[in-house]
Amino acid sequence: MASGTVVFANGTSAAVIAATAAVFGGLVAAFANRGVERLRLRAGLVEKAQERRLATLERFLLATNAWIDWLSFLEDQGWTNESAPELNKRVKARDDAYRQLLLLADDSFFAWLTTTYRDAEYEVKKTYARAVRNGIKPDENALAARREFSRLL
């Protein structure tokens, strides 16, 4: 018998080899599946983050359009003291959605929101919203600011 060879009684060497191969194969499969599961987990997290960003963007657009639509309605109907609570509710919804969108925005979208969008919104507030709240018919600059803001959205 050669040195280093193990002989099992009753021919169990084939069973031991098969068992060892099965254990080794199981370990290899577990190791391979670990990488696949990590990829699946990462893909799931990325998908959830994208869904959250999309839902936040949708909420922001709905709130902003609701605000501008209410101002347009008030322009047509005229400002009354009863108009203030609804306008305040819409302004708060828009501001909350804007802040949440800033938190989830990537760098380029964040830059766009804090420059282009913010400037257009400020112009609408300064001209159109102020005229409507004061019961004054908005001038052409205010109407142009509202149109530009709506186009930007």
Side-chain angles (χ1 to χ4, degrees):
M1 186 180 297
S3 114
T5 304
V6 178
V7 176
F8 293 101
N10 299 328
T12 58
S13 62
V16 170
I17 292 172
T20 305
V23 169
F24 182 71
L27 289 174
V28 169
F31 184 74
N33 283 339
R34 191 174 128 216
V36 170
E37 288 304 317
R38 190 179 306 145
L39 288 174
R40 283 186 190 154
L41 178 63
R42 183 170 180 78
L45 292 174
V46 167
E47 183 180 2
K48 292 284 185 192
Q50 289 172 340
E51 288 173 1
R52 194 169 38 250
R53 282 188 199 108
L54 184 60
T56 302
L57 180 59
E58 181 182 18
R59 180 175 159 234
F60 169 73
L61 289 173
L62 289 172
T64 303
N65 281 310
W67 169 67
I68 205 74
D69 289 347
W70 185 251
L71 285 173
S72 296
F73 173 77
L74 293 177
E75 177 190 358
D76 291 340
Q77 301 299 313
W79 177 264
T80 64
N81 288 337
E82 293 81 30
S83 306
E86 180 64 22
L87 181 61
N88 290 339
K89 182 175 110 182
R90 291 175 186 229
V91 167
K92 183 178 180 340
R94 182 205 64 219
D95 289 347
D96 289 346
Y98 177 72
R99 282 190 286 279
Q100 188 175 13
L101 189 60
L102 286 175
L103 290 173
L104 297 176
D106 62 11
D107 291 341
S108 62
F109 191 44
F110 182 88
W112 182 86
L113 284 169
T114 56
T115 55
T116 306
Y117 170 80
R118 187 182 59 196
D119 293 346
E121 181 188 276
Y122 177 75
E123 191 63 29
V124 167
K125 289 180 192 176
K126 185 175 82 173
T127 58
Y128 185 73
R130 182 175 288 163
V132 170
R133 286 190 64 122
N134 291 328
I136 302 168
K137 181 164 176 49
D139 62 7
E140 189 53 42
N141 287 339
L143 294 173
R146 182 187 55 115
R147 281 191 300 271
E148 178 63 24
F149 183 75
S150 294
R151 186 194 62 75
L152 186 65
L153 292 177

